[in-house]
Amino acid sequence: MVFSQWWRLPLILGRGLVWAMADDYEDDEVQDSGSRKKRGVIFTLVTLLLSIGVALPLAEFASRLIYTPQVPTIPHPVYHHTRLANSTARWTSSQGEFDTTVSFNSFALRGSEPDLGKEHLWLIMGDSLIEALQVPEEETACRYLADRLGNGYTVMNAGVGGYSPVLSWLRLRALLEDLSPKVPEKVVLCMFPN
């Protein structure tokens, strides 16, 4: 027999029974067709929900085993995740599109240690568009901006991949405390809607 109705194969946890096909079981009592249809719909929905409830955690577990981030990312209780301060990593593409070495400073932001002694401090907040792990530091938007502004400016790359505007705002509050007494002259938020 070809088992074509796989969604009707639930493990009924309460009774510990496995039903091979809905057509193979019969109740002791004769039920009308409306009640049987209703029971079949409920049975199918419960089976579907149980299947999803088991499949999603298994898929999450498998993806965490298979994929490990190349960039040192650590969980954070306030702004979800951050980079590991004072670390260096290699960021590569499996298709060979990029192969860069990225470093993170004591603020856990991309780039070398910022010169806070300069007169002007700009803080560029954002997501992966600003962090730009795919290119060398010299080719990031923040570095281009710093080169255009000149010698009296420090531009800090505060972009973190996966950040939303809310996470950037929370991170900004923490950065302002870390930078104190120095206050950024400008804070720019740049997000890419993807």
Side-chain angles (χ1 to χ4, degrees), residues 72-74 82-88 103-109 113 171:
T73 302
I74 55 173
T82 186
R83 304 300 185 209
L84 186 62
N86 299 315
S87 64
T88 301
S103 60
F104 301 94
N105 56 35
S106 62
F107 296 100
L109 301 175
E113 203 60 36
R171 183 70 169 116

Side-chain angles (χ1 to χ4, degrees), residues 2-64:
V2 177
F3 190 68
S4 62
Q5 297 179 345
W6 58 269
W7 63 87
R8 294 185 184 231
L9 180 70
L11 172 62
I12 306 301
L13 300 175
R15 295 188 181 114
L17 299 175
V18 176
W19 290 334
M21 295 184 72
D23 299 334
D24 290 345
Y25 72 90
E26 290 292 331
D27 290 332
D28 294 332
E29 302 172 7
V30 177
Q31 299 179 356
D32 63 349
S33 64
S35 176
R36 189 173 291 229
K37 284 182 182 179
K38 183 178 178 182
R39 185 174 175 182
V41 169
I42 291 172
F43 180 77
T44 302
L45 288 175
V46 168
T47 303
L48 181 64
L49 290 175
L50 284 174
S51 299
I52 291 172
V54 170
L56 288 179
L58 286 176
E60 175 74 17
F61 179 73
S63 69
R64 288 180 186 225

Side-chain angles (χ1 to χ4, degrees), residues 116-186:
L116 299 178
K118 292 186 178 179
E119 184 179 350
H120 305 284
L121 173 63
W122 286 23
L123 191 59
I124 312 299
M125 306 291 297
D127 55 9
S128 58
L129 180 70
I130 294 301
E131 189 177 32
L133 296 175
Q134 297 83 357
V135 297
E137 186 180 346
E138 298 77 31
E139 296 178 21
T140 62
C142 293
R143 180 59 69 89
Y144 282 132
L145 179 61
D147 291 345
R148 294 283 310 238
L149 290 173
N151 207 13
Y153 289 83
T154 296
V155 178
M156 290 180 67
N157 182 344
V160 179
Y163 269 23
S164 65
V166 172
L167 291 177
S168 293
W169 177 73
L170 293 170
R171 183 70 169 116
L172 173 63
R173 289 176 41 188
L175 279 171
L176 291 176
E177 289 178 15
D178 293 344
L179 291 169
S180 181
K182 185 81 172 176
V183 177
E185 182 178 296
K186 300 231 187 270

